Amino acid sequence: MSQSNSEEFWFSPLFRIAGYVLLALSLLDIISIFIPPGFTNPAWEFQMASHLVERSPVPLIGLVFLLIGEKNFKIFKFLSRAALVAGILFLLLLPLIVSSAWRIHEGGDRQIAQQSAQLQVIKQQLSQAQTDREITDTLSRFNLRINAPKAQNPQQLKSQIIAGIANSEKKFQAQAEKNTDNSLNLTKNVIKTGLGTLIAGAFFLMVWRGTANTVKGSQTRKQKLSNHLPLVNE
């Protein structure tokens, strides 16, 4: 046995075993990402896509190792098609990443806007209420529960609530500024995850394209051989 044949004999099984181990570990990791599922939740969807991109190198390396060491043609053909499916799925993650990031951004701003608008309505109604009865009716209309001593009259409650609304407005303004900073970080993560998705998807498709020629050539050789078999039998 020559030295090159000996090296091939020892290294091919190692590549194949390493490939199966890496793919098995990747499968366990991917399953953990989807448990528990949170589809329709934009934060979960974006985090799921980010985790898949971050973990993509391991199945990529495992797939390449398997394609190098696997001698069974049927398994080789299956792995080639699996690379095609994985590449398409990674590319399909890109619109999901953009969509979930947009919903995260819009959801935060919408919540602050709704709460701020509600406080403005309460503040306006209380400002217009002058008598004790009007103040009490306004508090009941908005279902406001005030933890205050019974000795306090409605006018004092009105002043306290308006002061509390002013403090809440300051908190909403600070939260809006924080959301602006978060939007910048979210944009960076979208670019990073999106580029990672494109790179991983493109590499899987490259693997499929390279192995598809091998599969096609092997099938062509088998077809030619089968066409000549009747002549040999005659």
Side-chain angles (χ1 to χ4, degrees), residues 199-221:
I199 293 172
F203 191 85
F204 273 114
L205 293 178
M206 288 173 58
V207 172
W208 164 75
R209 185 64 179 173
T211 55
N213 295 330
T214 303
V215 172
K216 184 178 179 180
S218 179
Q219 289 176 337
T220 302
R221 288 192 297 271

Side-chain angles (χ1 to χ4, degrees), residues 74-85:
K74 291 183 179 180
I75 297 179
F76 186 91
K77 183 179 178 181
F78 170 79
L79 293 174
S80 176
R81 293 180 177 178
L84 172 62
V85 174

Side-chain angles (χ1 to χ4, degrees), residues 84-137:
L84 172 62
V85 174
I88 294 175
L89 290 177
F90 265 100
L91 294 181
L92 290 177
L93 283 178
L94 186 59
L96 178 64
I97 292 170
V98 176
S99 173
S100 59
W102 176 256
R103 283 182 288 158
I104 292 172
H105 173 72
E106 286 294 306
D109 291 345
R110 189 185 306 112
Q111 183 179 10
I112 292 177
Q114 290 175 349
Q115 293 175 344
S116 180
Q118 185 178 10
L119 288 180
Q120 288 296 326
V121 172
I122 297 174
K123 182 179 180 180
Q124 182 180 5
Q125 294 290 332
L126 281 175
S127 298
Q128 294 175 354
Q130 300 300 326
T131 66
D132 292 353
R133 180 62 180 274
E134 291 175 346
I135 295 173
T136 303
D137 291 342

